[in-house]
Amino acid sequence: MGDQGAAPKQATDAELIARWQKGDERAAATLVERHAQPLARFAASLGERDGIEELVQDTFVRAFNSMESFRADSALRTWLFTICKRLILDRKRSERRRRDGVELEEGHAVVEYDALDGLVADETARKVNEAVARLSPMQREVFMLRVTDGMPYGEIAGVVDSTEGACRVHYHNALRTIKEYLSDE
Amino acid sequence: MNDCLNDDLRDLLPLMAHDALSAAERARVNEHVAHCAACREELSILVATVTAVEAATPSVSVAAITAAVQRATIGEGRLVERAPLRLHTRDARRAATPVRRTWLSRQVLAAAASLVLVVTLSLTVLTRTFGPSGGATVDGMPDSSMGMTDSAGEARLVASSGLSVTGGLSDLSDEDLTTLLAELEQVDATVEAEPVSMHRALVNEPEGF
């Protein structure tokens, strides 16, 4: 689903990919323009602070270099988010290995989450961030993908390697945890 | 947990939080949250989350990322044909320079060099074959196609001429060059005598042939 919320007559992601594969560099620019900021937002929502543009750039380079392996039955954005998530995990593994000599667990993209406390002036937003930091990695990923990107549950399931039903449960559990934290404050 | 039973409308709340709804859908959500406390509370949490994430998200440069993609993917698994583009940056123009053109130029030059070498060797063989001294002999008839045999055949022909040619004309000794030039001159003078020369060549086989 490449043209979510897009104006009528905009080319779909699949059409742009086909054009790029025939040599139209403008199609690549359009794809980057469409998905770069959402990718940056996704990385920030998972706790990344430094080198977000580099992360987004690496995501696109990897994606375009392996475009022949992209299956049109899934949304391009889902695939991009999956690549980005793997890069974040690789980055955190390297940092952890350097720091502690400890390997990160498999299964979740982000184990650590740095709350945005210092960056948010709004009090409510700050409290929400503290609450989000208390979620499990899976709940946090699902919640952030749903909230910051408006991603459908079926696509979220593709990114986090779960099922649509499970993702709905994770989202509502996350929301309940946040509400309870805010009501306790 | 939101106690509201209107699942369809609750599914719209995250989209409302990051402003992805049409005007009609926004009006529908606003009307609902006006009298649904659970959805109103959920929407406020979602808006606060979006606000926090947006504050932490830097603005990324689409142009820089696109240029990086172009540099990394030139010629990677794509057809070479390109749509005509208006390239506004030097990086984009440089990235769009067809690598294939350079590759073709090298191939053309290589083919031309091979042709020159073949023609040169063929001339050498022919002059030795039809020279009056008969020192050069070859298998079969020295017709024009002999000079265009494969490289192995050419090597055999060259070797049978008595000249030591391991590379181009520059590898010939002065003596060999003199001989070659002399025979070239004789070719011009003895064109009509070719059949006789050929017969003589067949009779006077060189050593080792």
Side-chain angles (χ1 to χ4, degrees):
Chain A
M1 191 148 66
D3 54 355
Q4 175 183 350
K9 299 186 181 178
Q10 270 197 9
T12 64
D13 286 348
E15 289 168 351
L16 290 170
I17 290 169
R19 285 187 212 166
W20 174 76
Q21 287 175 326
K22 291 180 180 176
D24 185 355
E25 299 295 344
R26 289 170 297 186
T30 304
L31 286 169
V32 171
E33 189 176 6
R34 184 176 289 177
H35 298 291
Q37 205 59 38
L39 273 170
R41 204 159 47 232
F42 175 58
S45 74
L46 294 185
E48 292 301 297
R49 299 293 169 261
D50 301 321
I52 287 183
E53 179 165 324
E54 182 187 346
L55 192 65
V56 172
Q57 180 175 301
D58 287 348
T59 299
F60 277 110
V61 168
R62 290 202 179 198
F64 277 92
N65 268 327
S66 56
M67 195 59 80
E68 66 278 359
S69 67
F70 169 63
R71 297 190 311 275
D73 56 350
S74 67
L76 177 66
R77 183 166 290 185
T78 304
W79 190 50
L80 290 172
F81 276 36
T82 304
I83 294 172
C84 186
K85 176 181 152 179
R86 291 191 197 284
L87 287 172
I88 291 173
L89 181 59
D90 289 345
R91 178 189 279 196
K92 291 209 174 285
R93 277 180 177 150
S94 299
E95 288 170 2
R96 263 291 185 92
R97 208 175 291 130
R98 265 199 313 274
R99 207 170 59 212
D100 304 330
V102 175
E103 290 294 326
L104 280 180
E105 293 175 5
E106 291 287 347
H108 298 299
V110 178
V111 174
E112 294 178 351
Y113 176 80
D114 297 326
L116 306 166
D117 291 343
L119 299 172
V120 180
D122 184 79
E123 181 66 15
T124 306
R126 188 183 63 77
K127 288 181 180 176
V128 166
N129 264 307
E130 288 174 3
V132 169
R134 284 163 166 73
L135 299 175
S136 71
M138 178 65 87
Q139 287 177 342
R140 187 162 58 240
E141 260 190 78
V142 171
F143 181 76
M144 286 300 191
L145 283 169
R146 183 70 180 148
V147 173
T148 62
D149 196 68
M151 189 176 279
Y153 286 111
E155 290 185 32
I156 294 174
V159 176
V160 303
D161 195 21
S162 181
T163 64
E164 183 173 338
C167 288
R168 286 182 179 272
V169 171
H170 287 311
Y171 172 81
H172 289 294
N173 287 343
L175 197 58
R176 182 180 59 199
T177 302
I178 293 170
K179 279 187 181 178
E180 287 172 355
Y181 179 80
L182 294 177
S183 62
D184 290 344
E185 284 284 299
Chain B
M1 205 61 180
N2 192 332
D3 297 325
C4 179
L5 301 177
N6 192 336
D7 288 342
D8 288 341
L9 196 125
R10 284 179 57 201
D11 277 350
L12 294 178
L13 294 180
L15 299 174
M16 181 79 166
H18 71 92
D19 203 22
L21 293 179
S22 65
E25 287 171 325
R26 272 202 306 274
R28 188 174 150 221
V29 170
N30 283 329
E31 185 189 351
H32 176 79
V33 298
H35 61 267
C36 180
C39 286
R40 194 162 53 244
E41 183 184 12
E42 179 174 337
L43 184 59
S44 71
I45 290 172
L46 301 182
V47 170
T49 304
V50 170
T51 301
V53 171
E54 290 285 353
T57 303
S59 181
V60 294
S61 167
V62 171
I65 293 171
T66 304
V69 166
Q70 288 171 344
R71 282 194 302 272
T73 59
I74 291 256
E76 286 289 332
R78 297 193 288 153
L79 300 177
V80 179
E81 57 183 336
R82 294 172 184 271
L85 298 174
R86 290 164 76 182
L87 302 169
H88 299 289
T89 67
R90 188 174 57 181
D91 281 348
R93 283 194 292 274
R94 197 175 290 154
T97 300
V99 175
R100 196 173 61 148
R101 187 179 301 157
T102 306
W103 181 86
L104 275 177
S105 297
R106 285 204 211 103
Q107 292 301 311
V108 167
L109 281 175
S114 299
L115 185 61
V116 167
L117 184 61
V118 163
V119 168
T120 304
L121 291 174
S122 300
L123 277 175
T124 306
V125 168
L126 286 173
T127 54
R128 295 295 297 173
T129 300
F130 298 115
S133 61
T137 61
V138 296
D139 291 330
M141 313 300 281
D143 57 34
S144 61
S145 66
M146 292 293 279
M148 302 306 290
T149 55
D150 59 22
S151 58
E154 288 165 4
R156 286 195 296 276
L157 293 174
V158 169
S160 69
S161 71
L163 289 177
S164 173
V165 179
T166 57
L169 287 177
S170 59
D171 292 328
L172 294 175
S173 65
D174 288 346
E175 185 181 327
D176 288 339
L177 276 174
T178 305
T179 306
L180 179 62
L181 286 170
E183 290 178 350
L184 277 171
E185 288 172 359
Q186 289 181 8
V187 166
D188 290 337
T190 60
V191 167
E192 292 183 1
E194 280 180 11
V196 175
S197 302
M198 190 171 64
H199 177 71
R200 198 185 314 146
L202 289 174
V203 168
N204 299 323
E205 293 180 357
E207 293 179 0
F209 201 83

